[in-house]
Amino acid sequence: MTCNINTEMNYWPAEPTNLAECHEPLFDYIRSLVAPGRQTAQAYYRARGWVAHVVTNPWGFTAPGENAGWGSTNTGSAWLCQHLWEHYAFSGDRDFLRQVYPLLKEAALFLLDFLVEDPRDHHLVTAPSNSPENAFRLPDGRVANTCVGPTMDTQLARELFGHCLEAAALLECAAQVQVTNHGRLPLAVTVNPPVALFQPVGIPWQFEMNQMVATLVQVQAFGGGVRAHEDE
C-alpha cells in the first residue's frame, strides 16, 4: 500500500459521508504497522517512535522502498495518522482518541528525533527526504530526487505535532506526570513555517527558500531531550 497519497485518498470520503465504519480497516492496518515501524525507526535512524515510508504492506514492511524518487519519503506514518485524528474530529469519540493517542505520539516522537538543523539557516527540517514523484536538476544537469526539507514533510509534521498537543490537552495528558513514558511529555512542539509561494503560481515542494521558518520548542521530551541535533 502506497502511503504518499494513494492509500489516504481512498479513505478521505469516509468521515464526510458518514461512512466511518468504512474507515475501520485502515485503522487496523495502521495499528499493524506500529511494531515493525518501531524497528525501522531504530534500525535506520536510531530514532524513537515508529515510522512508515512510502511503501507498506500487510506483512509489516515499513522500511525505505523502491528507489530514491520514492523510497526516502519518511512521513507515511505522519500522513496515516491524519486519519486517526479525522475520525475523532468528526465523531468526537474521546475513547477512540485515547486508544490511538499512543500511535499519534510515537509517530511524532520519530519526527522529533529525525528532524535536523539545516546548516544554511538553522531551520529544523527532514533530511534526507523527497517530495514523491517530483524531481529537480542539479547544477551539472543531472536529475535528482533526494532533498532537504520538502514542504510536504513540514506540513505533515506541523499537523501531527498540533494534533498530538490538542489530543494531550483533551485527554488531560499534558498535566499528569504519571501518564506514560515515565511521565515526560512535550509541552510545546511546533513546526510553523509559512508556506512560501513562487511567482507567478505554485507552492514550493523543496526547502530552498529563506521565507520558510521551522521551530521546535520542547519543554520536556517524551523520554529525554531532542536528539536530532546530537552526534550519537
Side-chain angles (χ1 to χ4, degrees), residues 113-127:
D113 281 359
F114 183 66
L115 288 171
V116 296
E117 186 176 291
D118 189 322
R120 297 168 297 181
D121 45 33
H122 308 294
H123 298 153
L124 292 174
V125 294
T126 54

mmCIF file with all atom_site columns, all heavy atoms in Angstrom, residues 113-127:
data_model
loop_
_atom_site.group_PDB
_atom_site.id
_atom_site.type_symbol
_atom_site.label_atom_id
_atom_site.label_alt_id
_atom_site.label_comp_id
_atom_site.label_asym_id
_atom_site.label_entity_id
_atom_site.label_seq_id
_atom_site.pdbx_PDB_ins_code
_atom_site.Cartn_x
_atom_site.Cartn_y
_atom_site.Cartn_z
_atom_site.occupancy
_atom_site.B_iso_or_equiv
_atom_site.pdbx_formal_charge
_atom_site.auth_seq_id
_atom_site.auth_comp_id
_atom_site.auth_asym_id
_atom_site.auth_atom_id
_atom_site.pdbx_PDB_model_num
ATOM 1   N N   . ASP A 1 113 ? 12.955 13.085 16.720 1.00 0.00 ? 113 ASP A N   1
ATOM 2   C CA  . ASP A 1 113 ? 14.325 12.591 16.660 1.00 0.00 ? 113 ASP A CA  1
ATOM 3   C C   . ASP A 1 113 ? 14.927 12.738 15.269 1.00 0.00 ? 113 ASP A C   1
ATOM 4   O O   . ASP A 1 113 ? 16.146 12.828 15.125 1.00 0.00 ? 113 ASP A O   1
ATOM 5   C CB  . ASP A 1 113 ? 14.365 11.118 17.075 1.00 0.00 ? 113 ASP A CB  1
ATOM 6   C CG  . ASP A 1 113 ? 14.305 10.928 18.580 1.00 0.00 ? 113 ASP A CG  1
ATOM 7   O OD1 . ASP A 1 113 ? 14.250 11.949 19.296 1.00 0.00 ? 113 ASP A OD1 1
ATOM 8   O OD2 . ASP A 1 113 ? 14.305 9.779  19.035 1.00 0.00 ? 113 ASP A OD2 1
ATOM 9   N N   . PHE A 1 114 ? 14.087 12.723 14.258 1.00 0.00 ? 114 PHE A N   1
ATOM 10  C CA  . PHE A 1 114 ? 14.579 12.724 12.880 1.00 0.00 ? 114 PHE A CA  1
ATOM 11  C C   . PHE A 1 114 ? 14.925 14.126 12.377 1.00 0.00 ? 114 PHE A C   1
ATOM 12  O O   . PHE A 1 114 ? 15.807 14.295 11.538 1.00 0.00 ? 114 PHE A O   1
ATOM 13  C CB  . PHE A 1 114 ? 13.532 12.081 11.966 1.00 0.00 ? 114 PHE A CB  1
ATOM 14  C CG  . PHE A 1 114 ? 13.970 11.970 10.535 1.00 0.00 ? 114 PHE A CG  1
ATOM 15  C CD1 . PHE A 1 114 ? 15.032 11.145 10.187 1.00 0.00 ? 114 PHE A CD1 1
ATOM 16  C CD2 . PHE A 1 114 ? 13.326 12.675 9.539  1.00 0.00 ? 114 PHE A CD2 1
ATOM 17  C CE1 . PHE A 1 114 ? 15.448 11.033 8.863  1.00 0.00 ? 114 PHE A CE1 1
ATOM 18  C CE2 . PHE A 1 114 ? 13.727 12.568 8.216  1.00 0.00 ? 114 PHE A CE2 1
ATOM 19  C CZ  . PHE A 1 114 ? 14.790 11.740 7.877  1.00 0.00 ? 114 PHE A CZ  1
ATOM 20  N N   . LEU A 1 115 ? 14.227 15.132 12.868 1.00 0.00 ? 115 LEU A N   1
ATOM 21  C CA  . LEU A 1 115 ? 14.498 16.500 12.417 1.00 0.00 ? 115 LEU A CA  1
ATOM 22  C C   . LEU A 1 115 ? 15.951 16.884 12.688 1.00 0.00 ? 115 LEU A C   1
ATOM 23  O O   . LEU A 1 115 ? 16.494 16.598 13.754 1.00 0.00 ? 115 LEU A O   1
ATOM 24  C CB  . LEU A 1 115 ? 13.577 17.499 13.133 1.00 0.00 ? 115 LEU A CB  1
ATOM 25  C CG  . LEU A 1 115 ? 12.101 17.485 12.726 1.00 0.00 ? 115 LEU A CG  1
ATOM 26  C CD1 . LEU A 1 115 ? 11.290 18.354 13.678 1.00 0.00 ? 115 LEU A CD1 1
ATOM 27  C CD2 . LEU A 1 115 ? 11.921 17.965 11.292 1.00 0.00 ? 115 LEU A CD2 1
ATOM 28  N N   . VAL A 1 116 ? 16.560 17.543 11.714 1.00 0.00 ? 116 VAL A N   1
ATOM 29  C CA  . VAL A 1 116 ? 17.936 18.020 11.853 1.00 0.00 ? 116 VAL A CA  1
ATOM 30  C C   . VAL A 1 116 ? 17.978 19.504 11.518 1.00 0.00 ? 116 VAL A C   1
ATOM 31  O O   . VAL A 1 116 ? 17.087 20.047 10.878 1.00 0.00 ? 116 VAL A O   1
ATOM 32  C CB  . VAL A 1 116 ? 18.904 17.240 10.939 1.00 0.00 ? 116 VAL A CB  1
ATOM 33  C CG1 . VAL A 1 116 ? 18.971 15.785 11.349 1.00 0.00 ? 116 VAL A CG1 1
ATOM 34  C CG2 . VAL A 1 116 ? 18.489 17.372 9.471  1.00 0.00 ? 116 VAL A CG2 1
ATOM 35  N N   . GLU A 1 117 ? 19.033 20.131 11.955 1.00 0.00 ? 117 GLU A N   1
ATOM 36  C CA  . GLU A 1 117 ? 19.194 21.560 11.711 1.00 0.00 ? 117 GLU A CA  1
ATOM 37  C C   . GLU A 1 117 ? 19.859 21.783 10.361 1.00 0.00 ? 117 GLU A C   1
ATOM 38  O O   . GLU A 1 117 ? 20.931 21.254 10.094 1.00 0.00 ? 117 GLU A O   1
ATOM 39  C CB  . GLU A 1 117 ? 20.022 22.190 12.819 1.00 0.00 ? 117 GLU A CB  1
ATOM 40  C CG  . GLU A 1 117 ? 20.126 23.699 12.717 1.00 0.00 ? 117 GLU A CG  1
ATOM 41  C CD  . GLU A 1 117 ? 20.876 24.299 13.894 1.00 0.00 ? 117 GLU A CD  1
ATOM 42  O OE1 . GLU A 1 117 ? 20.332 24.261 15.014 1.00 0.00 ? 117 GLU A OE1 1
ATOM 43  O OE2 . GLU A 1 117 ? 22.011 24.756 13.683 1.00 0.00 ? 117 GLU A OE2 1
ATOM 44  N N   . ASP A 1 118 ? 19.202 22.546 9.526  1.00 0.00 ? 118 ASP A N   1
ATOM 45  C CA  . ASP A 1 118 ? 19.792 22.903 8.232  1.00 0.00 ? 118 ASP A CA  1
ATOM 46  C C   . ASP A 1 118 ? 20.935 23.885 8.490  1.00 0.00 ? 118 ASP A C   1
ATOM 47  O O   . ASP A 1 118 ? 20.711 24.965 9.053  1.00 0.00 ? 118 ASP A O   1
ATOM 48  C CB  . ASP A 1 118 ? 18.729 23.555 7.336  1.00 0.00 ? 118 ASP A CB  1
ATOM 49  C CG  . ASP A 1 118 ? 19.206 23.745 5.908  1.00 0.00 ? 118 ASP A CG  1
ATOM 50  O OD1 . ASP A 1 118 ? 20.390 24.080 5.717  1.00 0.00 ? 118 ASP A OD1 1
ATOM 51  O OD2 . ASP A 1 118 ? 18.391 23.567 4.981  1.00 0.00 ? 118 ASP A OD2 1
ATOM 52  N N   . PRO A 1 119 ? 22.173 23.555 8.109  1.00 0.00 ? 119 PRO A N   1
ATOM 53  C CA  . PRO A 1 119 ? 23.301 24.433 8.423  1.00 0.00 ? 119 PRO A CA  1
ATOM 54  C C   . PRO A 1 119 ? 23.244 25.779 7.718  1.00 0.00 ? 119 PRO A C   1
ATOM 55  O O   . PRO A 1 119 ? 23.917 26.716 8.126  1.00 0.00 ? 119 PRO A O   1
ATOM 56  C CB  . PRO A 1 119 ? 24.519 23.621 7.962  1.00 0.00 ? 119 PRO A CB  1
ATOM 57  C CG  . PRO A 1 119 ? 23.979 22.693 6.926  1.00 0.00 ? 119 PRO A CG  1
ATOM 58  C CD  . PRO A 1 119 ? 22.593 22.348 7.376  1.00 0.00 ? 119 PRO A CD  1
ATOM 59  N N   . ARG A 1 120 ? 22.408 25.882 6.678  1.00 0.00 ? 120 ARG A N   1
ATOM 60  C CA  . ARG A 1 120 ? 22.340 27.142 5.942  1.00 0.00 ? 120 ARG A CA  1
ATOM 61  C C   . ARG A 1 120 ? 21.590 28.221 6.696  1.00 0.00 ? 120 ARG A C   1
ATOM 62  O O   . ARG A 1 120 ? 21.929 29.395 6.619  1.00 0.00 ? 120 ARG A O   1
ATOM 63  C CB  . ARG A 1 120 ? 21.682 26.914 4.571  1.00 0.00 ? 120 ARG A CB  1
ATOM 64  C CG  . ARG A 1 120 ? 22.462 25.985 3.665  1.00 0.00 ? 120 ARG A CG  1
ATOM 65  C CD  . ARG A 1 120 ? 21.632 25.568 2.470  1.00 0.00 ? 120 ARG A CD  1
ATOM 66  N NE  . ARG A 1 120 ? 20.447 24.813 2.891  1.00 0.00 ? 120 ARG A NE  1
ATOM 67  C CZ  . ARG A 1 120 ? 19.557 24.319 2.030  1.00 0.00 ? 120 ARG A CZ  1
ATOM 68  N NH1 . ARG A 1 120 ? 19.715 24.513 0.737  1.00 0.00 ? 120 ARG A NH1 1
ATOM 69  N NH2 . ARG A 1 120 ? 18.512 23.639 2.466  1.00 0.00 ? 120 ARG A NH2 1
ATOM 70  N N   . ASP A 1 121 ? 20.564 27.841 7.424  1.00 0.00 ? 121 ASP A N   1
ATOM 71  C CA  . ASP A 1 121 ? 19.742 28.864 8.081  1.00 0.00 ? 121 ASP A CA  1
ATOM 72  C C   . ASP A 1 121 ? 19.232 28.411 9.440  1.00 0.00 ? 121 ASP A C   1
ATOM 73  O O   . ASP A 1 121 ? 18.437 29.118 10.049 1.00 0.00 ? 121 ASP A O   1
ATOM 74  C CB  . ASP A 1 121 ? 18.565 29.259 7.187  1.00 0.00 ? 121 ASP A CB  1
ATOM 75  C CG  . ASP A 1 121 ? 17.897 28.054 6.579  1.00 0.00 ? 121 ASP A CG  1
ATOM 76  O OD1 . ASP A 1 121 ? 17.862 27.000 7.246  1.00 0.00 ? 121 ASP A OD1 1
ATOM 77  O OD2 . ASP A 1 121 ? 17.409 28.149 5.438  1.00 0.00 ? 121 ASP A OD2 1
ATOM 78  N N   . HIS A 1 122 ? 19.662 27.220 9.901  1.00 0.00 ? 122 HIS A N   1
ATOM 79  C CA  . HIS A 1 122 ? 19.357 26.727 11.248 1.00 0.00 ? 122 HIS A CA  1
ATOM 80  C C   . HIS A 1 122 ? 17.884 26.386 11.449 1.00 0.00 ? 122 HIS A C   1
ATOM 81  O O   . HIS A 1 122 ? 17.424 26.285 12.576 1.00 0.00 ? 122 HIS A O   1
ATOM 82  C CB  . HIS A 1 122 ? 19.816 27.736 12.308 1.00 0.00 ? 122 HIS A CB  1
ATOM 83  C CG  . HIS A 1 122 ? 21.243 28.149 12.135 1.00 0.00 ? 122 HIS A CG  1
ATOM 84  N ND1 . HIS A 1 122 ? 22.297 27.273 12.295 1.00 0.00 ? 122 HIS A ND1 1
ATOM 85  C CD2 . HIS A 1 122 ? 21.793 29.342 11.766 1.00 0.00 ? 122 HIS A CD2 1
ATOM 86  C CE1 . HIS A 1 122 ? 23.433 27.909 12.057 1.00 0.00 ? 122 HIS A CE1 1
ATOM 87  N NE2 . HIS A 1 122 ? 23.160 29.149 11.731 1.00 0.00 ? 122 HIS A NE2 1
ATOM 88  N N   . HIS A 1 123 ? 17.130 26.190 10.361 1.00 0.00 ? 123 HIS A N   1
ATOM 89  C CA  . HIS A 1 123 ? 15.774 25.696 10.489 1.00 0.00 ? 123 HIS A CA  1
ATOM 90  C C   . HIS A 1 123 ? 15.808 24.185 10.673 1.00 0.00 ? 123 HIS A C   1
ATOM 91  O O   . HIS A 1 123 ? 16.737 23.506 10.227 1.00 0.00 ? 123 HIS A O   1
ATOM 92  C CB  . HIS A 1 123 ? 14.959 26.027 9.234  1.00 0.00 ? 123 HIS A CB  1
ATOM 93  C CG  . HIS A 1 123 ? 14.824 27.488 8.981  1.00 0.00 ? 123 HIS A CG  1
ATOM 94  N ND1 . HIS A 1 123 ? 14.647 28.015 7.721  1.00 0.00 ? 123 HIS A ND1 1
ATOM 95  C CD2 . HIS A 1 123 ? 14.847 28.547 9.817  1.00 0.00 ? 123 HIS A CD2 1
ATOM 96  C CE1 . HIS A 1 123 ? 14.559 29.324 7.788  1.00 0.00 ? 123 HIS A CE1 1
ATOM 97  N NE2 . HIS A 1 123 ? 14.677 29.668 9.055  1.00 0.00 ? 123 HIS A NE2 1
ATOM 98  N N   . LEU A 1 124 ? 14.798 23.662 11.328 1.00 0.00 ? 124 LEU A N   1
ATOM 99  C CA  . LEU A 1 124 ? 14.699 22.223 11.525 1.00 0.00 ? 124 LEU A CA  1
ATOM 100 C C   . LEU A 1 124 ? 13.951 21.594 10.355 1.00 0.00 ? 124 LEU A C   1
ATOM 101 O O   . LEU A 1 124 ? 12.843 22.019 10.021 1.00 0.00 ? 124 LEU A O   1
ATOM 102 C CB  . LEU A 1 124 ? 13.994 21.907 12.837 1.00 0.00 ? 124 LEU A CB  1
ATOM 103 C CG  . LEU A 1 124 ? 14.776 22.296 14.094 1.00 0.00 ? 124 LEU A CG  1
ATOM 104 C CD1 . LEU A 1 124 ? 13.933 22.071 15.333 1.00 0.00 ? 124 LEU A CD1 1
ATOM 105 C CD2 . LEU A 1 124 ? 16.067 21.502 14.186 1.00 0.00 ? 124 LEU A CD2 1
ATOM 106 N N   . VAL A 1 125 ? 14.557 20.588 9.749  1.00 0.00 ? 125 VAL A N   1
ATOM 107 C CA  . VAL A 1 125 ? 13.997 20.002 8.537  1.00 0.00 ? 125 VAL A CA  1
ATOM 108 C C   . VAL A 1 125 ? 14.166 18.487 8.569  1.00 0.00 ? 125 VAL A C   1
ATOM 109 O O   . VAL A 1 125 ? 14.967 17.940 9.326  1.00 0.00 ? 125 VAL A O   1
ATOM 110 C CB  . VAL A 1 125 ? 14.698 20.555 7.277  1.00 0.00 ? 125 VAL A CB  1
ATOM 111 C CG1 . VAL A 1 125 ? 14.406 22.040 7.105  1.00 0.00 ? 125 VAL A CG1 1
ATOM 112 C CG2 . VAL A 1 125 ? 16.205 20.306 7.347  1.00 0.00 ? 125 VAL A CG2 1
ATOM 113 N N   . THR A 1 126 ? 13.408 17.803 7.720  1.00 0.00 ? 126 THR A N   1
ATOM 114 C CA  . THR A 1 126 ? 13.625 16.386 7.490  1.00 0.00 ? 126 THR A CA  1
ATOM 115 C C   . THR A 1 126 ? 14.738 16.228 6.458  1.00 0.00 ? 126 THR A C   1
ATOM 116 O O   . THR A 1 126 ? 14.787 16.955 5.465  1.00 0.00 ? 126 THR A O   1
ATOM 117 C CB  . THR A 1 126 ? 12.349 15.716 6.966  1.00 0.00 ? 126 THR A CB  1
ATOM 118 O OG1 . THR A 1 126 ? 11.879 16.418 5.809  1.00 0.00 ? 126 THR A OG1 1
ATOM 119 C CG2 . THR A 1 126 ? 11.261 15.714 8.020  1.00 0.00 ? 126 THR A CG2 1
ATOM 120 N N   . ALA A 1 127 ? 15.624 15.270 6.698  1.00 0.00 ? 127 ALA A N   1
ATOM 121 C CA  . ALA A 1 127 ? 16.720 15.044 5.751  1.00 0.00 ? 127 ALA A CA  1
ATOM 122 C C   . ALA A 1 127 ? 17.393 13.720 6.081  1.00 0.00 ? 127 ALA A C   1
ATOM 123 O O   . ALA A 1 127 ? 17.703 13.466 7.248  1.00 0.00 ? 127 ALA A O   1
ATOM 124 C CB  . ALA A 1 127 ? 17.741 16.178 5.806  1.00 0.00 ? 127 ALA A CB  1
#
